[in-house]
Amino acid sequence: MRHAIAPSENVENNSIAVTDLFKICTHCERLNKKDLGIRIPRPLGSGPSRFIPEKEILQVSKVDASTQAIFEDAFAALRRLDNISLVMSFHPQYLESFLRTQHYLLQMDGPLPLHYRHYICIMAAARHQCSYLVNLHVNDFLQVGGNTKWLNGLNEAPQKLQQLGEINKILAHRPWLLTKEHIERLLKAEEHSWSLAELIHAVVLLTHYHSLSSFTFGCGIMPEINCDGGHTFRPPSVSQYCVCDIANGNGHANHHNDLLGNQEMCGEVEELMERMKQLQECRDDEEASQEEMATRFEREKTESMLVVTSEDEECVPSRDISRHFEDTSYGYQDFSRRGEQVPTFRAQDYSWEDHGFSLVNRLYPDVGQMLDEKFQMAYNLTYNTMATHKDVDTSMLRRAIWNYIHCMFGIRYDDYDYGEINQLLDRSFKIYIKTMVCSPEKTTKRMYESFWRQFQHSEKVHVNLLLMEARMQAELLYALRAITRYMT
């Protein structure tokens, strides 16, 4: 990363700093080409995110000591500090938990060999056409000695990994369809069989990278300059600025749009806070019956089907991505489509806290604890603020977001009043949530900008953390329930 290493004072004056290579004006680019005889890459975007101005993302050189230590550990473990980590650094407590879990899954002792782990990450990210994550793990796969032939397509990988393609597909798009029969086929495949421990490891990786694909698209993560899609060698087409100004985010269009948004959405935060207050008062006055709570869940589940994820055309995956998975036409469909009856997943019958956590921890020691801490960190994270307002209890809003996602996946909590969701989440927010969680490759900057216009980018990133973890937990619940049913 360009900010990760500062040039030493002892370096000779004719040396070229990393930042000089990354962000230079056209004139300097011409001089470098002439003097050095090399082609200088120019960044395609400004900063780690297409959605968030670079100046608002916490820079490595300006963070406190504890966050700096997190970055240093990540750099030492992964040999890089990627743009996902930089965007997550709005919330360093969560980032630390996320990086610790991911490091354990990918690099520490576990049931699966290292090259299998990275190949599974490629398979998972490819299902959502997330070229950013696919490219990262293609490089990691090769670095740990992976066979280059496997990268030609899933059909070139071992039969054992090919068999994982079916549950990769189902978990990514329709996890409620996963059954114990799918699990049995993997565990009883003769010489290609998976062990229970290996399968748990694989399932955690699949769900982690499905949800991380959601976060990547939802925050508009840009490839790093040294990665595919992160740079170009073409000269800039904008004549009013030199390329170093554009690359450093010194344009003024975003500021103008932000002003317009604030003018249009004046009072949005206050209205939301007032609705939260009214709902709390209603809770205190009376409690709905179990029958009414069930009816409200069914109503919300039905209404979620009417939320359209995107107006855009279908995204057709490139050959570079689609070769890593099968059945490219298979995608998200609503949990309960017309004419289909899929039983509701009742959380009191199978929950993460009472069932999933112990199963994961038993078959893949310590991972259950790490996942639990990460779920809790995202769910409970709060600074007691909403935009410019302080001392605000946001627990009601966080729970509505989490439960809305689980509702879209057919998961119901008997003790939650689903009528609160429509009071707290407006239509533009629901469109963003459904798109990012169910079809993240269709997420657009316009969707990101259309919800919570008065809120800080750090608050929107927190929303994306909630969406990512809620999605991962929902997928895990279906997978672990199917494994439990097989075992019993």
Side-chain angles (χ1 to χ4, degrees), residues 26 29 42 234-239 241-243 246:
T26 310
E29 184 177 9
R42 179 171 62 87
R234 296 178 181 177
S237 59
V238 181
S239 59
Y241 310 101
C242 71
V243 70
I246 299 171

Side-chain angles (χ1 to χ4, degrees), residues 405-416:
I405 295 161
H406 280 204
C407 177
M408 288 192 301
F409 282 80
I411 300 172
R412 179 195 164 200
Y413 296 88
D414 283 353
D415 61 346
Y416 183 69

Side-chain angles (χ1 to χ4, degrees), residues 370-384:
M370 290 182 178
L371 292 177
D372 190 63
E373 290 174 1
K374 189 160 62 79
F375 292 149
Q376 293 295 326
M377 181 64 69
Y379 187 87
N380 295 320
L381 182 64
T382 183
Y383 306 96
N384 296 309

Side-chain angles (χ1 to χ4, degrees), residues 36-187:
L36 303 178
I38 60 174
R39 302 174 72 200
I40 306 298
R42 179 171 62 87
L44 275 180
S46 170
S49 167
R50 291 186 296 114
F51 301 167
I52 306 170
E54 184 176 18
K55 63 184 179 180
E56 296 196 32
I57 295 177
L58 196 60
Q59 298 298 324
V60 177
S61 59
K62 298 178 182 178
V63 299
D64 59 38
S66 60
T67 308
Q68 179 72 33
I70 295 171
F71 285 145
E72 290 171 356
D73 289 344
F75 196 84
L78 300 173
R79 300 175 298 279
R80 62 174 178 259
L81 185 58
D82 57 38
N83 285 342
I84 288 177
S85 298
L86 287 176
V87 172
M88 284 185 182
S89 67
F90 277 118
H91 307 286
Q93 283 182 298
Y94 173 85
L95 175 61
E96 183 176 23
S97 177
F98 172 86
L99 290 175
R100 182 171 59 250
T101 303
Q102 185 166 263
H103 175 67
Y104 192 91
L105 290 172
L106 294 176
Q107 296 181 281
M108 301 299 286
D109 289 341
L112 293 174
L114 297 182
H115 62 301
Y116 264 51
R117 302 182 200 191
H118 291 294
Y119 197 82
I120 290 169
C121 297
I122 294 168
M123 293 173 62
R127 283 267 26 143
H128 284 308
Q129 306 168 38
C130 188
S131 58
Y132 175 87
L133 291 175
V134 168
N135 290 334
L136 281 183
H137 286 281
V138 163
N139 292 332
D140 290 341
F141 173 78
L142 294 174
Q143 285 179 4
V144 297
N147 189 332
T148 55
K149 289 184 178 179
W150 299 8
L151 300 177
N152 294 331
L154 184 59
N155 60 324
E156 296 281 351
Q159 185 67 28
K160 185 173 181 176
L161 284 169
Q162 291 184 40
Q163 290 173 339
L164 199 64
E166 181 72 8
I167 69 166
N168 178 31
K169 174 180 76 174
I170 295 172
L171 284 174
H173 305 296
R174 308 171 202 173
W176 48 87
L177 298 182
L178 195 68
T179 66
K180 66 178 183 180
E181 284 73 28
H182 291 110
I183 304 302
E184 184 175 21
R185 283 196 288 271
L186 289 170
L187 298 175

Side-chain angles (χ1 to χ4, degrees), residues 294-342:
T295 300
R296 291 175 184 177
F297 169 79
E298 293 298 330
R299 185 184 302 130
E300 187 57 48
K301 185 176 70 173
T302 302
E303 288 182 5
S304 73
M305 296 167 56
L306 305 177
V307 176
V308 180
T309 57
S310 174
E311 300 172 359
D312 298 335
E313 296 293 326
E314 284 294 316
C315 301
V316 180
S318 68
R319 169 60 186 158
D320 282 347
I321 300 299
S322 62
R323 64 188 176 190
H324 298 301
F325 65 93
E326 298 173 329
D327 197 355
T328 57
S329 63
Y330 193 93
Y332 171 79
Q333 289 184 349
D334 288 304
F335 169 75
S336 185
R337 305 177 75 206
R338 186 172 301 171
E340 296 181 2
Q341 291 296 325
V342 181

Side-chain angles (χ1 to χ4, degrees), residues 221-481:
I221 300 296
M222 288 287 296
E224 292 77 19
I225 192 172
N226 62 313
C227 296
D228 291 344
H231 60 268
T232 181
F233 293 105
R234 296 178 181 177
S237 59
V238 181
S239 59
Q240 295 178 351
Y241 310 101
C242 71
V243 70
C244 56
D245 280 334
I246 299 171
N248 281 283
N250 294 332
H252 56 269
N254 286 338
H255 177 65
H256 177 67
N257 291 337
D258 289 344
L259 289 177
L260 287 177
N262 286 336
Q263 291 171 359
E264 292 171 3
M265 302 302 293
C266 184
E268 174 192 33
V269 180
E270 289 76 12
E271 290 177 8
L272 181 53
M273 290 175 63
E274 181 60 28
R275 289 198 294 273
M276 290 166 61
K277 180 181 177 182
Q278 292 173 357
L279 284 172
Q280 186 60 55
E281 291 172 351
C282 291
R283 275 185 187 175
D284 297 338
D285 291 342
E286 59 178 317
E287 186 174 328
S289 65
Q290 282 297 312
E291 291 76 10
E292 177 60 23
M293 299 271 265
T295 300
R296 291 175 184 177
F297 169 79
E298 293 298 330
R299 185 184 302 130
E300 187 57 48
K301 185 176 70 173
T302 302
E303 288 182 5
S304 73
M305 296 167 56
L306 305 177
V307 176
V308 180
T309 57
S310 174
E311 300 172 359
D312 298 335
E313 296 293 326
E314 284 294 316
C315 301
V316 180
S318 68
R319 169 60 186 158
D320 282 347
I321 300 299
S322 62
R323 64 188 176 190
H324 298 301
F325 65 93
E326 298 173 329
D327 197 355
T328 57
S329 63
Y330 193 93
Y332 171 79
Q333 289 184 349
D334 288 304
F335 169 75
S336 185
R337 305 177 75 206
R338 186 172 301 171
E340 296 181 2
Q341 291 296 325
V342 181
T344 294
F345 188 127
R346 301 183 68 197
Q348 72 269 26
D349 295 336
Y350 197 94
S351 69
W352 167 255
E353 294 80 6
D354 297 332
H355 306 90
F357 169 82
S358 59
L359 177 60
V360 172
N361 241 25
R362 187 167 77 250
L363 294 172
Y364 190 6
D366 298 328
V367 169
Q369 184 65 40
M370 290 182 178
L371 292 177
D372 190 63
E373 290 174 1
K374 189 160 62 79
F375 292 149
Q376 293 295 326
M377 181 64 69
Y379 187 87
N380 295 320
L381 182 64
T382 183
Y383 306 96
N384 296 309
T385 60
M386 284 181 64
T388 58
H389 297 268
K390 298 181 180 180
D391 300 319
V392 182
D393 181 358
T394 62
S395 57
M396 178 183 291
L397 183 57
R398 283 180 276 121
R399 190 179 186 191
I401 294 169
W402 188 281
N403 286 0
Y404 178 61
I405 295 161
H406 280 204
C407 177
M408 288 192 301
F409 282 80
I411 300 172
R412 179 195 164 200
Y413 296 88
D414 283 353
D415 61 346
Y416 183 69
D417 182 356
Y418 286 85
E420 294 184 3
I421 290 175
N422 276 338
Q423 297 295 314
L424 298 175
L425 313 183
D426 62 29
R427 184 165 183 80
S428 63
F429 193 12
K430 284 185 171 182
I431 289 173
Y432 176 80
I433 291 174
K434 187 171 184 179
T435 304
M436 182 188 154
V437 171
C438 302
S439 305
E441 61 276 8
K442 298 181 181 179
T443 306
T444 64
K445 185 175 183 180
R446 183 177 65 178
M447 290 179 187
Y448 175 88
E449 292 176 339
S450 67
F451 81 92
W452 285 14
R453 297 283 289 271
Q454 285 187 308
F455 285 74
Q456 303 294 321
H457 285 291
S458 62
E459 292 172 306
K460 290 193 171 190
V461 171
H462 183 196
V463 165
N464 285 335
L465 297 179
L466 274 172
L467 305 188
M468 174 174 68
E469 296 298 347
R471 176 192 175 169
M472 181 178 181
Q473 190 181 94
E475 283 190 36
L476 264 181
L477 283 172
Y478 279 107
L480 298 175
R481 186 181 67 169

